[in-house]
Amino acid sequence: YVDGLVDGVTEAPVPGMQINGEALRKLMQVEPDYLGGALAIMHERHGGVTGFLEEALDFDAAKRAELAGLLSE
């Protein structure tokens, strides 16, 4: 799936910028160890993902509800 998306990228977002397909693939994939580490830190410092969203990103319940509405359209 990711390869198809990466192969479809033909234009860089910034004029003159080179597209590195391998770097783009890494950005679009989830490495289990990285995800696990990030989740562990969120739980340790903020009590979980919701706490992280609210405390670190100022992404409160109203903003999450708005996003959920947009994603479910």
Side-chain angles (χ1 to χ4, degrees), residues 34-71:
Y34 296 148
L35 181 58
L39 291 171
I41 290 172
M42 286 180 211
H43 283 276
E44 177 184 312
R45 295 183 184 171
H46 304 284
V49 175
T50 300
F52 171 76
L53 291 172
E54 291 178 353
E55 297 167 12
L57 302 180
D58 193 30
F59 203 72
D60 61 18
K63 291 176 184 173
R64 291 193 309 275
E66 181 180 356
L67 178 61
L70 293 171
L71 293 174

Side-chain angles (χ1 to χ4, degrees), residues 5-43:
L5 291 174
V6 170
D7 292 341
V9 175
T10 58
E11 186 177 316
V14 176
M17 176 186 245
Q18 296 290 324
I19 297 174
N20 180 319
E22 186 58 31
L24 191 54
R25 279 182 188 80
K26 289 289 184 188
L27 287 172
M28 296 176 71
Q29 295 175 344
V30 175
E31 294 288 335
D33 290 340
Y34 296 148
L35 181 58
L39 291 171
I41 290 172
M42 286 180 211
H43 283 276

